[in-house]
């Protein structure tokens, strides 16, 4: 089988920098490492191929010879047989190698602090339904939820009174065990203590050794004015308490805003529709409209207002935070056509038609004019 170009193997251009070459090799080494692909001959060959390419391209002298003469220029320079020199700066490529491979080879992605097993508790989420009005103007709501708190009997230690924890003899308290394969040293979670670094020989009977208990809690949550549907607030340290005295996680409260019967919002503006009569639309009028906060405002309808006309009332929209300008209220005029007319009303409408005239053969309205309305 013909050998592939080293640059092609690593997936980099010929002018790639050393950092680019290192990053490309690091990615391939993680993907095709033998410990991750046990029994996979194809992955093993790809790992060797990438290692060979990196050994040549990471060395300035070998790279120059390869760039000028190809494979013939590096023949006998170790590119085809000796992989060990490729790892003289292995730590520089991978840093703490064990932390990279923990998630592949039995680790849980969690690193204990000196094997103490102390970790921050989990974050919690709570969804609360609020009214449209409360979302606009803000309020306070009481919520009740369950969270893990430190066991009152063992004070979060997980051990029975008068007893303690024993350092795990398998990992020596580190929470990890290592095994070597060639030039690799791979760390994985200790199977004896589960990564905690210690063993509780006499677990607390109240919490079964977990150090925490599930409790119901009530707290007041402030709903900020103008909050939108789906937004959240963070309440620090009101999540689950961490095991072994770890700090509590946070509580995230998400708001679900119920729709309003008459109003809707767009950003900081409010919108509503108000019915008016034909005479009010034609002659103009002063009407009184109820706003979201319950007050009544006077609104002037200009004469000749068409159906669907929008009137803007400044500063009657969503309150803005941090001293910002309050949004506006937009009122859409809906001209109501009477379905039934009294005898006198019908006479007046007929008289109006005779006086003002009406077109019995109307032409379509240009679309551009409709867009402007």
């Amino acid at each position: 089988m013909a050998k592939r170009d080293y640059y092609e193997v690593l997936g980099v251009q010929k002018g790639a920098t050393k950092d680019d070459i290192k990053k490309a090799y690091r990615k391939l080494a993680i993907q095709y490492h033998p410990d991750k692909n046990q029994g996979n001959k194809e992955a093993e060959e790809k790992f060797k191929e990438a290692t060979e390419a990196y050994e040549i391209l990471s060395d300035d002298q070998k790279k120059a010879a390869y760039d000028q003469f190809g494979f013939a220029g590096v023949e006998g320079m170790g590119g085809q047989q000796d992989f060990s020199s490729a790892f003289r700066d292995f730590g520089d490529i991978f840093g703490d190698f064990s932390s990279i491979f923990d998630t592949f080879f039995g680790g849980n992605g969690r690193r204990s602090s000196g094997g103490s097993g102390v970790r921050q508790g989990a974050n919690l989420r709570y969804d609360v339904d609020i009214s449209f009005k409360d979302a606009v103007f803000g309020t306070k709501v009481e919520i009740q939820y369950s969270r893990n708190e430190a066991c009152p009997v063992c004070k979060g230690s997980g051990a029975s009174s008068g007893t303690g924890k024993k350092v795990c003899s398998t990992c020596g308290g580190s929470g990890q065990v290592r095994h070597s394969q060639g030039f690799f040293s791979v760390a994985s979670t200790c199977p004896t203590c589960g990564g905690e670094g210690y063993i509780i020989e006499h677990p607390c009977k109240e919490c079964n050794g977990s150090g925490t208990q599930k409790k119901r809690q009530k707290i007041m949550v402030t709903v900020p004015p103008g909050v939108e549907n789906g937004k959240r607030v963070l309440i620090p340290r009101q999540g689950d308490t961490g095991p072994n005295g770890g700090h509590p996680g946070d509580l995230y409260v998400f708001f679900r805003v119920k729709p309003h019967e008459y109003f809707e919002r767009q950003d900081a503006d409010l919108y509503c529709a108000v019915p008016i009569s034909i005479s009010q639309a034609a002659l103009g009028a002063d009407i009184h409209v109820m706003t979201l906060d319950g007050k009544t405002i006077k609104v002037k309808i200009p004469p000749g207002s068409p159906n669907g006309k929008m009137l803007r009332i400044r500063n009657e929209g969503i309150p803005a935070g941090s001293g910002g300008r309050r949004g506006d209220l937009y009122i859409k005029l809906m001209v109501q056509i009477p379905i039934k007319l009294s005898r006198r009303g019908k006479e007046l409408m007929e008289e109006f038609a005779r006086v003002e005239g009406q077109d019995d053969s109307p032409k379509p309205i240009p679309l551009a004019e409709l867009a402007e309305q």
Side-chain angles (χ1 to χ4, degrees), residues 31-44:
Q31 182 177 358
Y32 296 116
H33 182 261
D35 279 357
K36 184 187 175 186
N37 300 274
Q38 294 183 8
N40 187 333
K41 294 296 183 182
E42 182 181 355
E44 182 180 344

Side-chain angles (χ1 to χ4, degrees), residues 18 32 58 66 82 131 141 152-153 225 231-232 242 255 283 294:
K18 277 192 173 184
Y32 296 116
S58 64
Y66 177 73
D82 180 15
S131 69
V141 295
V153 176
K231 294 298 183 180
R232 70 183 188 185
F255 299 111
L283 303 175

Side-chain angles (χ1 to χ4, degrees), residues 142-215:
E142 182 182 75
I143 66 172
Q144 183 175 352
Y145 66 103
S146 297
R147 65 188 289 254
N148 287 334
E149 297 182 357
C151 173
V153 176
C154 66
K155 309 300 182 185
S157 70
S160 296
S161 178
T163 67
K165 304 171 184 176
K166 178 183 176 182
V167 174
C168 176
S169 59
T170 302
C171 64
S174 68
Q176 295 180 331
V177 293
R178 290 178 177 270
H179 68 275
S180 299
Q181 181 172 341
F183 40 72
F184 288 98
S185 177
V186 180
S188 60
T189 301
C190 175
T192 303
C193 65
E196 301 295 346
Y198 62 87
I199 302 294
I200 299 177
E201 295 183 304
H202 302 285
C204 171
K205 294 181 180 180
E206 184 71 18
C207 64
N208 294 320
S210 68
T212 61
Q213 282 189 324
K214 191 72 73 175
K215 298 288 185 181

Side-chain angles (χ1 to χ4, degrees), residues 119-139:
R119 299 183 303 276
Q120 178 171 310
N123 295 330
L124 298 179
R125 169 176 176 153
Y126 188 94
D127 291 3
V128 59
D129 294 318
I130 56 175
S131 69
F132 186 91
K133 184 176 179 180
D134 285 341
V136 170
F137 299 108
T139 186

Side-chain angles (χ1 to χ4, degrees), residues 25 29 47 51 54-55 58 83-94 97 183-184:
Y25 173 62
F47 179 78
T51 302
Y54 175 72
E55 182 198 0
S58 64
F83 302 135
S84 61
S85 62
F87 296 92
R88 61 188 176 275
D89 58 347
F90 193 77
D92 182 40
I93 299 172
F94 289 96
F97 185 72
F183 40 72
F184 288 98

Side-chain angles (χ1 to χ4, degrees), residues 263 272-276 286-292 294-301 311 313 329 331 333:
F263 293 89
C272 71
V274 173
I276 60 173
D286 290 335
I287 62 175
H288 293 86
V289 177
M290 185 77 72
T291 62
L292 181 62
K295 67 182 180 182
T296 301
I297 57 174
K298 185 177 180 180
V299 178
K300 188 175 186 63
I301 300 176
L311 303 180
I313 313 299
L329 170 63
I331 299 175
L333 300 179

